[in-house]
C-alpha cells in the first residue's frame, strides 16, 4: 500500500507524485473557460443553470436568509459551536499579530510614505463537495476581517435540496461574513470575478476548491486578485528511529482522506521505522470510514523514503517544499530551523497536522505542489494593498534633477527628463 523507496531511487517517484494531475489540465482549462465565458455573458441565469447541472439544486435565490441562519444554529450542537468559538479566538490572536501599518520617511524638503489599505470586497470560496469544512470559513474570513475588509461574500455549493451545511452557516455568522451565497464550482468564481445582476464583483478571491475552482481562479487572476492556486493536499513526515509508526500512519491517513489525489510521504533515516509503517498502514486504514479514498491516495501518491542521514532528509524536504511538514525526531525543536521551504511545520509527536487545521491559530490555507518555495500561508497581508506617496519640494527636486535626468537619458525616455527640466525653466 505504501511503497518503500531508498534515497537514490526517490527522484523519479517524487517527480511523479509532485506532478500529479498535470495531464488533466488542458481538458479542465477548456471546460472552465467555457463556464467563465457563459457566466460573464449570461449572469445569474448561467450560474443557476450550472448549479442545477453540477449540484442538482434548483436555486431560486442565491443568498442565505436570516431564517436559514437561525435554523442552522438550532441544528448545530452547542459543543461544536463552543469549539468553533475557541478556534476563532486562537486564529484571531495569531493573525492580529500580522496586521501592519504603513510608514513615513521625511525631512525638511521631501516626504515618502506607504499607505496600507484593505481591499474593499473579498470573495471566499468554501468547498462543499466530498466534505464541508467550517474550519475553512474561519481560516479565510478572519484574516480578511482583521485586515479591515468590510464586504465579504462567501460562496459554497448547495446540496440537492438547495441547502448549505448548518455548520458552515454557523461558522460564517460567527466570523462575520457579509453574506453567504448558494453556489460553487467554476461558476461561482466567474460570478465573483465578473459580477452578475445580483452579485457584486469582488476585488479578491480566496479559498481552496477542486481542480475546476483552482483553474477558474487562475484564469480570472488579473481581473481580480487571488490568494494562490491550490492543488491536491499533501503531508510530508520527517522522522527518525524514535518516532511512533502508529502516529505517522494516523497523520498520513488524516491527509489522505481529503481525496484520492492527496499525497502522504515519509522521509526517515530508520529502515525499521519504514517497514513498521508499511506493515501497519493496511491494518489502520481498515478502520477508517473513508477507507476507499485513503487506500487510493496511499496507492497512487504515498511513499516511504529511506535516507542515509538527516541532512539528506532535510535536503529532500526543502526540494519538495511540502504544504504540511511534520517533524517527528528526537531533536525536532532544533532542526526545524533548517527547513527553508514548507507551508506549515508541525513539531513533535503531540502536534499532528490536525492541530493546525482546526485550532492552534495558524492558517490552514497553504501553498501546495512546491509553491511554498515562493509563497506563504494565507494571511492578513493578502487582504491589504499598499500605496506609495511621494512629495518633493522645489529644492529637493533641484538637488536630485541631474541624477534623474541622466538616468532618463540613458533609458532613452526624454520626456521623463523634460518633465523635470521644465520645472526649472529650461524648456519652453
Amino acid at each position: 500500500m505504501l511503497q518503500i523507496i531508498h534515497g537514490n531511487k526517490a527522484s523519479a517517484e517524487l517527480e511523479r507524485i509532485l506532478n500529479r494531475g498535470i495531464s488533466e489540465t488542458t481538458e479542465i482549462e477548456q471546460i472552465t473557460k467555457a463556464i467563465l465565458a457563459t457566466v460573464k455573458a449570461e449572469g445569474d441565469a448561467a450560474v443557476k443553470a450550472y448549479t442545477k447541472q453540477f449540484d442538482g439544486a434548483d436555486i431560486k435565490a442565491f443568498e442565505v436568509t436570516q431564517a436559514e441562519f437561525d435554523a442552522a444554529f438550532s441544528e448545530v450542537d452547542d459543543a461544536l459551536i463552543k469549539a468553533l468559538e475557541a478556534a476563532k479566538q486562537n486564529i484571531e490572536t495569531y493573525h492580529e499579530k500580522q496586521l501592519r501599518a504603513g510608514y513615513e520617511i521625511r525631512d525638511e524638503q521631501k516626504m515618502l510614505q506607504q499607505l496600507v489599505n484593505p481591499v474593499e470586497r473579498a470573495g471566499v470560496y468554501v468547498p462543499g463537495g466530498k466534505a464541508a469544512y467550517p474550519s475553512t470559513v474561519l481560516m479565510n474570513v478572519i484574516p480578511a476581517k482583521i485586515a479591515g475588509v468590510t464586504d465579504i461574500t462567501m460562496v459554497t455549493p448547495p446540496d440537492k435540496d438547495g441547502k448549505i451545511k448548518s455548520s458552515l452557516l454557523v461558522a460564517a455568522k460567527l466570523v462575520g461574513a457579509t453574506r453567504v451565497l448558494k453556489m460553487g464550482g467554476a461558476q461561482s468564481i466567474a460570478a465573483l470575478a465578473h459580477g452578475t445582476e445580483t452579485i457584486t464583483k469582488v476585488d479578491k478571491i480566496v479559498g481552496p476548491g477542486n481542480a475546476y475552482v483552482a483553474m477558474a481562479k487562475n484564469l480570472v487572476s488579473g481581473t481580480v486578485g487571488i490568494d494562490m492556486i491550490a492543488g491536491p493536499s499533501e503531508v510530508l513526515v520527517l522522522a527518525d528511529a524514535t518516532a511512533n509508526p502508529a502516529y505517522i500512519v494516523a497523520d498520513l491517513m488524516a491527509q489522505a482522506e481529503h481525496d484520492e489525489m492527496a499525497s502522504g510521504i515519509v522521509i526517515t533515516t530508520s529502515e525499521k521505522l519504514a517497514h513498521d509503517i508499511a506493515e501497519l498502514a493496511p491494518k489502520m486504514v481498515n478502520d477508517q470510514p473513508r477507507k476507499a479514498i485513503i487506500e487510493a491516495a496511499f496507492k497512487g501518491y504515498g511513499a516511504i523514503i529511506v535516507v542515509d542521514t538527516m541532512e539528506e532528509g532535510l535536503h529532500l524536504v526543502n526540494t519538495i517544499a511540502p504544504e504540511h511538514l511534520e517533524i517527528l525526531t528526537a531533536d525536532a525543536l532544533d532542526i526545524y530551523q533548517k527547513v527553508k521551504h514548507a507551508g506549515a511545520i508541525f513539531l513533535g509527536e503531540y502536534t499532528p497536522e490536525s492541530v493546525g487545521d482546526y485550532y492552534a491559530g495558524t492558517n490552514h490555507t497553504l501553498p501546495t505542489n512546491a509553491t511554498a518555495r515562493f509563497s506563504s500561508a494565507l494571511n492578513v497581508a493578502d487582504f491589504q494593498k499598499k500605496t506609495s506617496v511621494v512629495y518633493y519640494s522645489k529644492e529637493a527636486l533641484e538637488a536630485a534633477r541631474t541624477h534623474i535626468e541622466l538616468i532618463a537619458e540613458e533609458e532613452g525616455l526624454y520626456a521623463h527628463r523634460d518633465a523635470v527640466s521644465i520645472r526649472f525653466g529650461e524648456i519652453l
Side-chain angles (χ1 to χ4, degrees):
M1 180 180 291
L2 285 170
Q3 60 176 324
I4 297 175
I5 307 168
H6 289 83
N8 59 347
K9 298 179 180 178
S11 296
E13 182 60 16
L14 281 174
E15 184 174 354
R16 184 191 69 79
I17 291 173
L18 297 177
N19 290 333
R20 63 199 188 281
I22 286 178
S23 61
E24 302 174 0
T25 299
T26 301
E27 181 182 359
I28 290 172
E29 182 175 0
Q30 291 173 346
I31 293 170
T32 305
K33 280 182 175 178
I35 293 171
L36 294 175
T38 304
V39 172
K40 185 176 182 180
E42 301 177 13
D44 286 345
V47 179
K48 289 178 180 179
Y50 283 125
T51 303
K52 179 69 172 176
Q53 178 181 345
F54 297 129
D55 301 309
D58 190 4
I59 298 296
K60 298 294 187 291
F62 296 120
E63 188 163 351
V64 173
T65 65
Q66 185 58 49
E68 289 174 298
F69 280 113
D70 293 341
F73 272 87
S74 69
E75 293 167 3
V76 174
D77 188 82
D78 286 345
L80 177 57
I81 294 175
K82 289 180 180 178
L84 291 172
E85 288 174 333
K88 171 180 178 286
Q89 183 174 344
N90 290 342
I91 296 165
E92 287 174 340
T93 298
Y94 181 84
H95 286 77
E96 282 168 354
K97 296 290 186 182
Q98 299 171 352
L99 192 61
R100 295 290 182 268
Y103 57 85
E104 183 179 283
I105 302 170
R106 178 189 289 270
D107 62 27
E108 292 181 356
Q109 300 297 334
K110 58 184 180 292
M111 182 268 288
L112 307 177
Q113 190 177 36
Q114 184 182 81
L115 302 179
V116 179
N117 289 298
V119 300
E120 189 173 338
R121 289 185 290 271
V124 172
Y125 189 93
V126 177
K130 288 186 173 73
Y133 306 112
S135 59
T136 297
V137 180
L138 274 59
M139 295 291 180
N140 286 269
V141 176
I142 288 173
K145 294 288 287 187
I146 291 172
V149 181
T150 55
D151 191 327
I152 303 172
T153 299
M154 175 179 137
V155 296
T156 190
D159 64 19
K160 288 180 169 54
D161 296 322
K163 295 182 178 179
I164 304 299
K165 189 174 180 181
S166 293
S167 60
L168 296 184
L169 296 184
V170 167
K173 186 61 72 172
L174 289 177
V175 296
T178 309
R179 66 189 63 83
V180 178
L181 303 180
K182 301 174 183 179
M183 61 176 71
Q187 64 271 22
S188 69
I189 302 301
L192 292 174
H194 301 298
T196 70
E197 301 92 323
T198 62
I199 301 162
T200 303
K201 178 184 183 297
V202 302
D203 302 308
K204 187 154 192 176
I205 300 173
V206 302
N210 64 19
Y212 294 93
V213 170
M215 180 59 71
K217 286 171 65 179
N218 187 27
L219 292 171
V220 302
S221 175
T223 300
V224 295
I226 63 169
D227 52 348
M228 63 187 76
I229 308 297
S233 196
E234 59 201 36
V235 64
L236 192 159
V237 180
L238 180 66
D240 62 14
T242 67
N244 186 321
Y247 293 174
I248 293 175
V249 174
D251 295 352
L252 294 176
M253 292 192 302
Q255 207 60 41
E257 71 175 348
H258 277 292
D259 66 63
E260 294 86 351
M261 293 186 70
S263 169
I265 298 172
V266 180
I267 297 175
T268 181
T269 52
S270 170
E271 187 83 36
K272 180 180 184 304
L273 180 67
H275 286 278
D276 288 345
I277 293 168
E279 182 179 338
L280 193 56
K283 301 173 185 176
M284 291 181 63
V285 169
N286 274 332
D287 297 328
Q288 288 296 312
R290 298 169 72 86
K291 174 184 174 182
I293 296 173
I294 296 171
E295 285 181 335
F298 277 7
K299 182 178 180 181
Y301 306 108
I304 306 167
I305 300 171
V306 180
V307 294
D308 293 329
T309 67
M310 191 54 63
E311 288 301 318
E312 183 183 350
L314 286 163
H315 174 73
L316 270 179
V317 167
N318 283 318
T319 300
I320 295 168
E323 177 187 16
H324 305 96
L325 171 65
E326 293 188 4
I327 302 181
L328 276 69
T329 64
D331 57 352
L333 291 171
D334 297 321
I335 69 169
Y336 80 92
Q337 294 190 40
K338 295 181 179 180
V339 176
K340 304 302 180 186
H341 309 298
I345 303 173
F346 304 86
L347 302 175
E349 62 181 357
Y350 293 105
T351 317
E353 176 253 332
S354 307
V355 175
D357 265 0
Y358 296 127
Y359 193 75
T362 55
N363 206 288
H364 77 201
T365 301
L366 299 167
T368 61
N369 287 352
T371 58
R373 294 186 65 84
F374 56 81
S375 57
S376 309
L378 187 73
N379 61 84
V380 171
D382 285 308
F383 299 96
Q384 294 177 314
K385 53 195 180 63
K386 301 169 182 68
T387 303
S388 301
V389 179
V390 181
Y391 164 74
Y392 266 46
S393 68
K394 181 178 180 180
E395 292 77 12
L397 182 60
E398 187 169 24
R401 62 173 294 197
T402 301
H403 291 162
I404 298 169
E405 290 168 349
L406 284 171
I407 295 170
E409 288 175 3
E410 173 62 24
E411 295 188 354
L413 298 176
Y414 301 106
H416 279 62
R417 176 200 62 194
D418 294 347
V420 174
S421 302
I422 197 172
R423 284 166 164 79
F424 298 94
E426 297 192 7
I427 299 174
L428 298 178

